Amino acid sequence: MNITVYLGSCEGNDPSLKEAVRELGTWIGESGISLVYGGSKCGLMGELAESVLDAGGYVTGVEPQFFIDEGLEYDRIDKLIVTGDMSERKNKMIELGDAFIAFPGGTGTLEEIAEIMSKVCLKHMSEPCILYNLNGYYDSLKALLAHMVKMGLSTEEKQEGIYFAENLAEIKKILGN
């Protein structure tokens, strides 16, 4: 199983982010699940990859050439797939994933998970889309999705397969682990 995780290349200013991302990575590594992520050694991305590797797991990074040119790749990972641009990167990460998790991140994370959510709503994808709602990070997005249903612009049926998990235990439950 490959889990594609979207997350920030910054560390953020909340120490619980680093702790939670390392917990997620350790579980992925110890479970025999492979990680697919953006390929960077920076911030939370680097912490996730390192924790998967330290737990004996396999890590595939997908990174556009311009990030390689800036020296942002993580040379410890098992496999690095270099793409021409961000769109190609996103498509490759989707192609490789059997489940998708959005850890707290910035606009890039939001953009990437929005495409997964759209594919789930269109029923073009049956893999789970999990928003790791650590400390309520995605509460506003959760409220927006509910508002879309209330306004008749989406339905609960369309949003089946989009999950909000408050912690790793809930992620494991969603994935059946």
Side-chain angles (χ1 to χ4, degrees), residues 9 19 44-45 82-83 98 155 168 175:
S9 60
E19 181 181 320
L44 295 173
M45 291 174 72
V82 180
T83 63
D98 299 309
T155 65
L168 181 56
L175 296 175

Side-chain angles (χ1 to χ4, degrees), residues 30-68:
E30 290 176 348
S31 298
I33 297 168
S34 295
L35 170 67
V36 176
Y37 87 117
S40 179
K41 64 182 173 186
C42 301
L44 295 173
M45 291 174 72
E47 292 290 336
L48 177 64
E50 182 177 273
S51 61
V52 172
L53 292 167
D54 289 349
Y58 189 88
V59 177
T60 299
V62 184
E63 198 158 30
Q65 183 63 51
F66 68 88
F67 282 153
I68 303 295

Side-chain angles (χ1 to χ4, degrees), residues 64 83-93 111 115:
T83 63
D85 58 29
M86 294 296 278
S87 293
E88 189 181 328
R89 174 199 204 187
K90 187 169 48 172
N91 289 333
K92 181 54 89 172
M93 291 175 74
E111 188 263 338
E115 181 159 345

Side-chain angles (χ1 to χ4, degrees), residues 2-169:
N2 289 332
I3 294 182
T4 297
V5 179
Y6 304 110
L7 70 169
S9 60
C10 297
E11 284 192 25
N13 56 17
D14 180 349
S16 69
L17 293 171
K18 185 175 179 180
E19 181 181 320
V21 83
R22 291 196 69 81
E23 178 187 41
L24 175 64
T26 300
W27 169 72
I28 290 171
E30 290 176 348
S31 298
I33 297 168
S34 295
L35 170 67
V36 176
Y37 87 117
S40 179
K41 64 182 173 186
C42 301
L44 295 173
M45 291 174 72
E47 292 290 336
L48 177 64
E50 182 177 273
S51 61
V52 172
L53 292 167
D54 289 349
Y58 189 88
V59 177
T60 299
V62 184
E63 198 158 30
Q65 183 63 51
F66 68 88
F67 282 153
I68 303 295
D69 295 343
E70 293 176 24
L72 299 176
E73 75 276 9
Y74 190 13
D75 59 5
R76 238 187 104 200
I77 64 176
D78 298 292
K79 182 177 182 180
L80 178 64
I81 298 170
V82 180
T83 63
D85 58 29
M86 294 296 278
S87 293
E88 189 181 328
R89 174 199 204 187
K90 187 169 48 172
N91 289 333
K92 181 54 89 172
M93 291 175 74
I94 291 170
E95 176 188 318
L96 295 173
D98 299 309
F100 300 87
I101 297 174
F103 194 83
T107 55
T109 302
L110 182 61
E111 188 263 338
E112 291 168 321
I113 203 62
E115 181 159 345
I116 301 300
M117 292 166 55
S118 179
K119 288 179 179 292
V120 167
C121 288
L122 292 169
K123 306 303 181 206
H124 292 174
M125 177 180 283
S126 60
E127 295 83 359
C129 171
I130 303 168
L131 292 113
Y132 194 155
N133 196 28
L134 182 67
N135 300 328
Y137 189 81
Y138 286 112
D139 281 351
S140 296
L141 181 56
K142 188 175 187 178
L144 178 60
L145 292 174
H147 184 67
M148 289 174 183
V149 172
K150 181 180 175 188
M151 296 297 296
L153 299 170
S154 186
T155 65
E156 290 181 13
E157 293 76 25
K158 283 185 179 181
Q159 293 181 15
E160 288 174 1
I162 299 172
Y163 303 93
F164 289 82
E166 306 299 318
N167 52 51
L168 181 56

